[in-house]
Every structure is written in structure tokens, then in C-alpha cells.
Amino acid sequence: MRRYLFFVNQPYSYSILRPLQAEIRRRGDDVAWFIAGCSTAPLKPDEKRLKTVKEVQAYGADATFVPGDWVPYFFPGIKVEVFHGMARNKRGHKNEDESDHYRIRGWFDLYCTHAEKDTEKFQALAQELGHFAVAKTGWPKLDPLLRNVNGGERARPEGEPPTVFFASTFSRSVTCAPQLADEIEALSESGKWRFIVTLHPKMEESVVERYRGMQSANLKFVESDEDLVPLLPEADLMLCDTSSIMFEFMFLQRPVVTFRTKMPGPYLIDVQSVDQLEDGLTRAVQRPEQLLAAQKELCSDLHVFFDGRSSGRVLDAVDQFLLEKKHTLRPKPWNLLRKLKVRRRLQRELAQTPH
């Protein structure tokens, strides 16, 4: 029986890792969670939590799965990067190769990639650096959407207004949440639109409070630590800025409207001013054929698997690594200063984590 550890540093990690947990349990193996720096409230009663580094050491996991960019290097087992989103240029770099997605920090033994392009890029880096391996597996978070949800136009009861899923990231350079608050409130109060709203866990608290206070019969606010995957199919379209959740939503084959996005393209409707917002939503509800065709092509680019079985491929890749590749890699860089910073960060974030 293998033992696996989930290292959670952000609330969005829960929905990424739970499909992986389901597959681990299906195979008869064991899994535990280690939470550092975010809420433990989403943990369920049947989910095992390790609270201290001593408990982690005693557990002795074969592999630690990470949907973020760092992990304590001294945890037992190999460190597996499963990513918190798909490979897209969110920060306006000259090209995607310069994005943080491809930054090698020296923590991970195995990178589990999602598509042809990111696999090729990471494999080139692996060949150059020699201290990690790469496996094209797909992203566990998409498993429930791809296996259990019917994509395409949502069956909406007659007379029910369209439902818009509004998601916004936190960075001031890309977020649209502050600019759109008044308009979203007005649209929900008009009765012509319904909204499901969620904001990034790092969003300014004043903005979060503004949206919480807007809740009504036509506007539901969802806290950032809730699992959003079951809620996505409830919407007819998405409103977003540059949050990677819009690409997840596209796998439902439903339209996306953005506000001044850093990632424009034929796969979405981008509006530049607040007074254009409702027109953009109205166009999206009509499900333009060219837009949906472009979405389908983009989804194939972002994620080559559509069978909802990525969690199984991730575990198979770990098995193969442990059997064949673990002892063939070069040693990782010493990175003594970076390791010291990780130890300090872990201490700081554990102090802030509820017990």
C-alpha cells in the first residue's frame, strides 16, 4: 500500500486534489493532508490531516502532491507538481515561455503536465537541468467536469434569466472586481440576470465585503474556500478577467465574457468598458458558433485528455517514476538560501493555520 501526502497552501488546492484522493482510495492506498497558510475548514470528517512536521515525517509518504510553486524539501518521498492551473500567459509576458508556469525552482522531482506544448517545454528543461522528470497526465481537477457533467447549452427553465458565473483574480493589474461591482449589482437587481460570484482568496477584503453585501435572490456569493467545480455547470456563461478558471469553464462548451483580459482571443468576448458589459453578456447567451469552435480548439490545446481519467495517469506516473527514474536523475541544486526561506515560510504559515 502506497502512502500519499497533499500539501495545501491555498484554498483552491482542495478541488484540484480531491479527484486524486478519490482515485487513491479506489486503488486501496492511503492519503493524508497537510495544510499550511490557509483555512482548514474545507476538510471533510473522513479526510486525514497531519498537523505537524513530526507527523509528516512519521507518516512517510511515498509522494507529496503540490498544486502550488513550493513545498518543504525535507518532507519524505518525491515531490510532484500538479499545478494550480493550465499553462497560459496571465501576466502579459512577451510569450508564454517567459511565464511563471515554466519557472524551475528546484523543489520538484516530477512535473505532471496537461498538453503537448507544456510537456515539450518541461521536457526540454528536464533534459537541460537533469534533476526532474516529466509525465503528460492531464489535470485531476478536470476529472469531475469531463466525466460527470454534460457540456453544451444548459437546460434553463422557461422564464428563468441566464446565470452568469463571475470569477475575478486578485492582482490589481488584471482584476475587474472593483470596476464591475456597481454594474453587476444593477444587472442582478434588474431581474434579467442571475449571478454566482466568487473572488480569489487574496482579493482585498474591502472588495470581498462589497460583493458579500450584494447577495440577493439573483446574486449568490461563494466563499473562496468552497469547491467551485460543482457550481460551474449551474451557469450559462462566465464573466471573468484573467483568472485561469475561465479556461476550466470552457470545457463545458459554454461562452466566456471578459473585462480587459490579458489573454484575448477568438475563444471569448472581451469588453473594454463597463457600459459594454451587458451587450457582451447578451451576445454570449446567443452562443456564437465561431466563438464555441474557437473554445473547443483552445481546450484541445490546453488539455489533450477528455476522458476524465487524469488522476489515474498521475498515480501511474508516480509509480513509473519510483520504479524506473528516481535513481537516474542528477542531484538538485543546493539552494541553501532558498531552503532557509522555505523553512521560515513554513513556520510562519503554520503559525497562521487553524489547529
Side-chain angles (χ1 to χ4, degrees), residues 31-72:
V31 59
W33 298 71
F34 185 83
I35 319 297
C38 69
S39 173
T40 61
L43 278 177
K44 298 176 181 179
D46 67 338
E47 291 175 332
K48 182 190 302 183
R49 179 188 171 197
L50 306 179
K51 297 183 179 181
T52 67
V53 173
K54 284 186 178 180
E55 289 178 349
V56 169
Q57 298 286 359
Y59 184 67
D62 296 287
T64 296
F65 295 101
V66 187
D69 57 14
W70 72 286
V71 62

Side-chain angles (χ1 to χ4, degrees), residues 122-292:
F122 276 110
Q123 284 178 337
L125 291 168
Q127 187 171 1
E128 174 188 346
L129 300 173
H131 56 74
F132 62 88
V134 180
K136 183 171 62 178
T137 61
W139 197 29
K141 185 178 181 180
L142 289 183
D143 284 354
L145 279 182
L146 295 172
R147 293 183 72 174
N148 305 319
V149 176
N150 292 323
E153 188 170 7
R154 184 175 75 97
R156 193 166 74 245
E158 186 176 351
E160 179 185 295
T163 298
V164 182
F165 195 109
F166 174 55
S168 180
T169 191
F170 72 99
S171 173
R172 291 185 180 182
S173 63
V174 294
T175 183
C176 67
Q179 298 98 312
L180 297 186
D182 291 345
E183 183 68 9
I184 288 175
E185 185 172 37
L187 291 174
S188 67
E189 291 176 347
S190 74
K192 295 188 294 183
W193 303 91
R194 297 172 63 189
F195 286 86
I196 301 171
V197 175
T198 193
L199 302 174
H200 193 282
K202 294 183 180 180
M203 181 69 71
E204 288 185 20
E205 187 59 29
S206 61
V207 178
V208 176
E209 287 299 327
R210 171 75 173 100
Y211 279 91
R212 279 201 192 108
M214 289 162 51
Q215 293 189 83
S216 66
N218 285 328
L219 194 150
K220 175 183 179 181
F221 183 81
V222 181
E223 298 294 341
S224 62
D225 60 2
E226 293 189 39
D227 188 356
L228 303 178
V229 173
L231 298 175
L232 294 180
E234 296 181 13
D236 300 285
L237 66 155
M238 175 171 279
L239 172 62
C240 198
D241 36 42
T242 306
S243 174
S244 59
I245 194 173
M246 68 181 177
F247 299 114
E248 300 166 34
F249 188 79
M250 288 180 190
F251 282 86
L252 289 174
Q253 302 164 44
R254 296 177 190 173
V256 172
V257 177
T258 54
F259 185 81
R260 300 175 186 172
T261 186
K262 298 289 187 183
M263 295 183 287
Y267 44 79
L268 51 77
I269 296 171
D270 190 49
V271 299
Q272 295 296 310
S273 63
V274 174
D275 58 9
Q276 296 174 343
L277 181 59
E278 187 168 19
D279 287 343
L281 297 178
T282 301
R283 285 174 54 204
V285 168
Q286 296 167 1
R287 296 177 57 82
E289 288 185 13
Q290 288 184 326
L291 180 142
L292 294 175

Side-chain angles (χ1 to χ4, degrees), residues 108-128:
F108 299 104
D109 302 285
L110 176 64
Y111 286 79
C112 291
T113 54
H114 309 151
E116 299 293 348
K117 181 175 180 180
D118 66 329
T119 303
E120 290 174 4
K121 178 64 176 176
F122 276 110
Q123 284 178 337
L125 291 168
Q127 187 171 1
E128 174 188 346

Side-chain angles (χ1 to χ4, degrees), residues 3-24:
R3 291 184 172 187
Y4 299 104
L5 182 69
F6 293 161
F7 181 70
V8 173
N9 186 237
Q10 294 292 340
Y12 51 64
S13 298
Y14 290 99
S15 59
I16 298 171
L17 294 170
R18 281 204 171 108
L20 196 56
Q21 176 177 251
E23 180 63 17
I24 290 169

